[in-house]
């Protein structure tokens, strides 16, 4: 190692190091840490805060309003760029740090990279207990930042300056790893942040982290090819790994050659264009009739980049063919072995390309193709019916809101959602026209994700029209980043749908015997009961007070005009619409296990339990 050194504080060294990190895949190079989000307090203002000022020319800074939402913005950025670029988030100690936990869990569950830099107690314990410090009676080295351990893919507390060197390198390795990525936490004691050290110059040299595309093992590939060739009713389930690997063209080529139909998870929707003859739309509890119908009779389910979550498998009740077997193409062995599958552990694009080559000349039967194409045509009519508005002067339903947006959005637009009843409607009905148009965070289904994620997407793809679809419930969780969008001059669009309550959970409550308790915004009368009147809350005025241009749409016709105006706007714009609360989306085509009280005195719960017992009897263990 060279004897040349540079004397910097630990925080300065970290920021300088981060500014020189890059990823490269397929010859395309990107900044690994494209910028840093921050809210400052005594735990980071004099350390990381000063370092960000020192190196403002090489590390862009974004001022957030809520620590959780800063992580959401960073996640939106990373997903839009297929995990090849990430952002850092710095906070003070105490509540600033613990506010990171939900965002960190979301990032790790969805396998999306984000670097967390929370302040921490003094490593020297000189001021002790420090303001906001958690005192643990038997573990003096524990701080509130330890809550981030179970939701981080890598965690370290930097208690000496020189400890940063190996830890920072490990952090970058995990962020750039396509199999291990997620939230990475480097907890920074505030005295160590400000401590000077003679750093080797090599630490600050440009470093490129190559994002690998591992090829399948020949034995596993041969077994996969044999399984596909012997299947009569194969079905591909495309997950988020298709997008992360940029494997959409490889998937289309395989499907064009073999005729195997494709269903998609929430994260995988858009892997094929909606109008491709083999695209059957969503699968599972929020899936389409054609997709779930084929899933019940499939004899081989080929998962590509999917975790096979509970919604996708309909709580183990969807795949009912007694002879069904699974083949999982996944970059992680952990996911590739789920459902007792034949594993094909590899990069999605590489694996699909090799499968296509090995399956040359193989194609499913004409009868099978005709069957699923007919089912796709029938479902297209269902979508048209849900989107259609017979009267332009009527109050729109939620599905008509989606229909109006479908008519306005271009192929390049990005639609973002995460929670409530919208994910189900979107998964069933939205017609994705490009790989990144459909942006659903459904691994963690975190209310409040949409608006900050839209900021991250807008930063990653300037000039792209971005739509954050939010219900009143999720809007109330986290509207504050509207101020950040205004400050940054980002022309994101928020479609705020007001139905005066938690419509999704209200319906689930009714189905499971909860009688919609606690799921509506209503006046409470003197006797403790709720009246039928909605609360006099004006969320449109709230959005306007935070700096958004607000367009109120009362009818279907006004809604279309407002959406077109918003798309053409160069400033943050909110389209506010009160919808007809009557459900108009097609019902669920598959089950979801939400346990119902085994014993109860109220009739609603007793009836719900009887329905539950009938459904749970269909669950299968795939061995």
């Amino acid at each position: 190692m060279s004897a040349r050194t540079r004397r910097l504080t630990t925080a300065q060294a970290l920021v300088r190091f981060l500014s020189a990190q890059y990823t490269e895949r397929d010859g395309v190079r990107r900044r690994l840490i494209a910028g840093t989000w921050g809210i400052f307090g005594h735990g980071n203002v004099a350390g990381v805060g000063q370092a960000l000022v020192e190196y403002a020319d090489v590390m862009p800074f974004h001022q957030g309003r809520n620590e959780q939402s800063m992580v959401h913005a960073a996640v939106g950025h990373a997903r839009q760029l297929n995990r090849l670029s990430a952002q850092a988030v710095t906070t003070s100690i105490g509540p600033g740090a613990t506010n990171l936990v939900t965002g960190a869990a979301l990032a790790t569950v969805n396998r999306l990279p984000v670097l967390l830099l929370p302040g921490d107690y003094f490593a020297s314990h000189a001021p002790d207990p420090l303001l906001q410090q958690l005192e643990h009676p038997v573990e003096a080295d524990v701080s509130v930042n330890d809550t981030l351990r179970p939701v981080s893919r890598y965690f370290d507390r930097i208690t000496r300056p020189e400890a940063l060197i190996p830890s920072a390198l490990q952090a970058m390795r995990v962020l750039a790893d396509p199999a291990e990525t997620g939230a990475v936490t480097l907890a920074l004691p505030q005295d160590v942040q400000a401590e000077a050290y003679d750093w080797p110059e090599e630490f600050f040299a440009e470093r490129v982290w190559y994002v690998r595309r591992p090829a399948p093992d020949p034995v596993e590939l041969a077994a996969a090819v044999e399984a596909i060739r012997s299947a009569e009713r194969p079905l591909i389930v495309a997950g988020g790994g298709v997008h992360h690997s940029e494997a959409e063209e490889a998937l289309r080529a395989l499907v064009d050659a073999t005729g195997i139909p494709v269903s998609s998870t929430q994260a995988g929707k858009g892997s094929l264009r909606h109008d491709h003859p083999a695209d059957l739309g969503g699968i599972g509890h929020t899936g389409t009739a054609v997709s779930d119908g084929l899933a019940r009779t499939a004899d081989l389910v080929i998962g590509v980049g999917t975790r096979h979550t509970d919604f996708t498998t309909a709580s183990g009740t969807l795949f009912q063919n007694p002879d069904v077997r699974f083949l999982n193409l996944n970059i992680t062995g952990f996911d590739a072995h789920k459902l007792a599958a034949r594993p094909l552990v590899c990069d999605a694009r590489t694996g699909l390309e090799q499968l296509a080559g090995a399956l040359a000349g193989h194609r499913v039967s004409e009868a099978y193709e005709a069957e699923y194409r007919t089912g796709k045509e029938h479902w297209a009519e269902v979508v048209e019916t849900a989107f259609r508005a017979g009267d332009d002067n009527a109050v729109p339903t939620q599905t008509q809101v989606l229909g109006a947006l479908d008519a306005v959005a271009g192929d390049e637009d990005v639609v973002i959602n995460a929670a409530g009843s919208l994910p189900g409607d979107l998964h069933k009905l939205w017609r994705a026209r490009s790989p990144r148009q459909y942006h659903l965070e459904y691994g963690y289904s975190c209310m409040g994700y949409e608006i900050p994620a839209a900021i991250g997407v807008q930063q990653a793809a300037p000039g792209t029209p971005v739509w954050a679809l939010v219900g009143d419930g999720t809007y109330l969780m986290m509207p504050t980043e509207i101020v950040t969008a205004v400050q940054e001059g980002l022309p994101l669009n928020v479609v705020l749908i007001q139905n005066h309550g938690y419509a999704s959970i209200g319906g689930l409550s009714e189905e499971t015997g909860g009688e919609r308790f606690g799921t509506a915004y209503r006046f409470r009368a003197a006797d403790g009961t709720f009246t039928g009147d909605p609360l006099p809350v004006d969320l449109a005025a709230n959005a306007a007070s935070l700096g958004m241009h607000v367009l109120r749409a009362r009818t279907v016709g006004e809604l279309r005009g407002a959406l077109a105006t918003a798309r053409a706007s160069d400033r943050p714009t909110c389209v506010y619409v009160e919808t007809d609360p009557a459900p108009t989306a097609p019902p669920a085509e598959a089950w979801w296990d939400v346990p119902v009280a085994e014993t109860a005195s109220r009739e609603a719960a007793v009836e719900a339990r009887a329905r539950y017992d009938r459904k749970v009897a269909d669950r299968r263990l795939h061995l």
Side-chain angles (χ1 to χ4, degrees):
M1 179 180 286
S2 168
R4 291 187 304 121
T5 61
R6 190 185 312 187
R7 191 162 182 81
L8 300 173
T9 69
T10 302
Q12 291 165 354
L14 175 59
V15 172
R16 192 73 200 181
F17 168 83
L18 294 177
S19 70
Q21 307 303 303
Y22 294 85
T23 62
E24 186 173 312
R25 186 171 70 181
D26 304 329
V28 178
R29 184 173 297 190
R30 294 184 182 275
R31 277 276 296 265
L32 176 50
I33 305 300
T36 298
W37 287 89
I39 295 176
F40 294 113
H42 66 88
N44 64 341
V45 66
V48 174
Q50 190 282 325
L52 288 167
V53 174
E54 191 89 11
Y55 294 116
D57 58 330
V58 293
M59 179 57 69
F61 175 74
H62 310 292
Q63 182 182 4
R65 269 75 193 176
N66 176 283
E67 292 85 359
Q68 177 181 320
S69 63
M70 291 193 298
V71 185
H72 293 339
V75 166
H77 173 276
R79 177 169 174 171
Q80 182 67 21
L81 296 176
N82 295 317
R83 307 193 300 192
L84 298 175
S85 180
Q87 293 176 320
V89 178
T90 179
T91 71
S92 185
I93 68 169
T98 53
N99 279 351
L100 295 172
V101 174
T102 297
L106 181 148
T108 297
V109 165
N110 287 285
R111 318 282 174 84
L112 292 165
V114 60
L115 176 61
L116 308 179
L117 305 173
D120 214 323
Y121 60 67
F122 277 58
S124 67
H125 289 275
D128 190 43
L130 183 69
L131 175 64
Q132 298 179 322
Q133 179 178 337
L134 170 72
E135 291 186 274
H136 196 287
V138 295
E139 295 181 274
D141 62 340
V142 167
S143 82
V144 296
N145 287 336
D146 288 278
T147 60
L148 289 160
R149 288 182 183 271
V151 293
S152 297
R153 295 294 288 170
Y154 180 80
F155 178 100
D156 197 8
R157 178 174 286 114
I158 311 302
T159 56
R160 293 177 60 90
E162 60 267 35
L164 177 65
I165 295 175
S167 189
L169 292 171
Q170 286 291 342
M172 298 304 103
R173 176 191 66 80
V174 174
L175 289 172
D177 191 299
E180 292 189 29
T181 196
V184 168
T185 300
L186 298 181
L188 303 172
Q190 48 192 304
D191 54 343
V192 178
Q193 290 181 46
E195 187 175 343
Y197 181 74
D198 294 324
W199 302 87
E201 282 288 349
E202 288 86 351
F203 186 55
F204 307 115
E206 283 193 5
R207 191 180 301 266
V208 179
W209 301 85
Y210 293 94
V211 181
R212 66 182 70 91
R213 289 192 179 277
D217 178 86
V219 174
E220 289 186 352
L221 179 63
V225 170
E226 174 58 28
I228 295 172
R229 285 187 178 275
S230 61
E232 295 183 0
R233 300 181 65 83
L235 173 67
I236 292 173
V237 177
V242 175
H243 294 310
H244 298 327
S245 178
E246 298 177 314
E248 296 90 357
E249 286 302 310
L251 176 64
R252 184 183 59 77
L254 174 67
V255 171
D256 287 346
T258 64
I260 301 174
V262 176
S263 299
S264 56
T265 68
Q266 288 279 16
K269 193 173 173 74
S271 295
L272 290 181
R273 267 186 65 103
H274 75 94
D275 52 4
H276 190 285
D279 179 67
L280 307 183
I283 190 171
H285 177 66
T286 53
T288 67
V290 57
S291 183
D292 286 352
L294 256 67
R296 291 186 180 93
T297 60
D299 57 359
L300 180 68
V301 179
I302 307 167
V304 182
T306 175
R307 297 185 295 128
H308 287 297
T309 62
D310 187 50
F311 254 53
T312 298
T313 65
S315 300
T317 64
L318 183 58
F319 305 110
Q320 286 296 319
N321 187 323
D323 299 319
V324 67
R325 292 295 180 266
F326 296 85
L327 167 64
N328 287 338
L329 190 165
N330 204 291
I331 201 166
T332 72
F334 178 81
D335 290 317
H337 284 83
K338 287 178 177 176
L339 299 174
R342 293 180 182 271
L344 190 59
V345 182
C346 59
D347 169 74
R349 193 173 85 181
T350 303
L352 289 169
E353 289 172 346
Q354 293 199 15
L355 277 177
L359 288 167
H362 174 73
R363 193 170 184 88
V364 300
S365 70
E366 292 183 1
Y368 187 48
E369 283 195 74
E371 176 187 343
Y372 71 67
R373 291 189 181 198
T374 298
K376 178 180 173 66
E377 291 172 1
H378 289 164
W379 188 257
E381 295 172 0
V382 172
V383 174
E384 285 294 339
T385 299
F387 280 0
R388 189 182 305 122
D391 182 1
D392 276 5
N393 295 315
V395 174
T397 64
Q398 183 164 283
T399 57
Q400 289 169 348
V401 172
L402 299 184
L405 181 58
D406 175 77
V408 168
D411 287 9
E412 70 276 20
D413 292 30
V414 177
V415 175
I416 301 174
N417 187 240
S421 57
L422 276 166
D425 293 358
L426 286 160
H427 200 204
K428 286 192 281 272
L429 303 173
W430 188 260
R431 300 183 282 210
R433 287 167 272 177
S434 60
R436 274 285 164 239
Q437 181 173 80
Y438 187 86
H439 183 130
L440 261 283
E441 188 291 292
Y442 215 57
Y444 210 49
S445 188
C446 187
M447 295 178 73
Y449 171 83
E450 297 90 343
I451 293 173
I455 292 173
V457 171
Q458 199 90 75
Q459 290 174 331
T464 298
V466 180
W467 302 88
L469 306 187
V470 296
D472 47 286
T474 196
Y475 176 85
L476 287 168
M477 289 280 184
M478 202 165 292
T480 52
E481 287 329 297
I482 287 174
V483 177
T484 302
V486 172
Q487 179 174 331
E488 298 252 345
L490 299 173
L492 63 88
N493 299 306
V494 173
V495 180
L496 177 49
I497 301 172
Q498 171 66 280
N499 57 24
H500 300 287
Y502 300 102
S504 173
I505 294 301
L508 182 62
S509 172
E510 186 172 40
E511 174 67 21
T512 57
E515 304 177 49
R516 292 185 176 265
F517 179 75
T519 63
Y521 305 145
R522 306 292 178 185
F523 282 115
R524 185 187 293 273
D527 62 0
T529 62
F530 288 94
T531 71
D533 300 321
L535 293 174
V537 176
D538 190 341
L539 299 184
N542 177 263
S545 75
L546 297 176
M548 292 203 97
H549 176 52
V550 175
L551 303 169
R552 295 177 184 261
R554 293 178 295 274
T555 66
V556 173
E558 289 180 2
L559 175 63
R560 289 199 199 97
L563 292 172
T565 299
R567 191 174 187 275
S569 177
D570 61 357
R571 59 184 291 196
T573 303
C574 173
V575 176
Y576 174 85
V577 56
E578 294 197 38
T579 56
D580 183 336
T584 54
E589 294 289 338
W591 187 57
W592 177 34
D593 188 349
V594 178
V596 176
E598 191 169 2
T599 181
S601 60
R602 296 180 69 85
E603 184 179 352
V606 173
E607 293 177 354
R609 180 67 194 198
R611 292 193 298 270
Y612 177 82
D613 288 338
R614 289 193 296 271
K615 291 289 188 180
V616 80
D618 293 332
R619 191 197 307 281
R620 290 185 61 186
L621 291 176
H622 298 284
L623 300 172

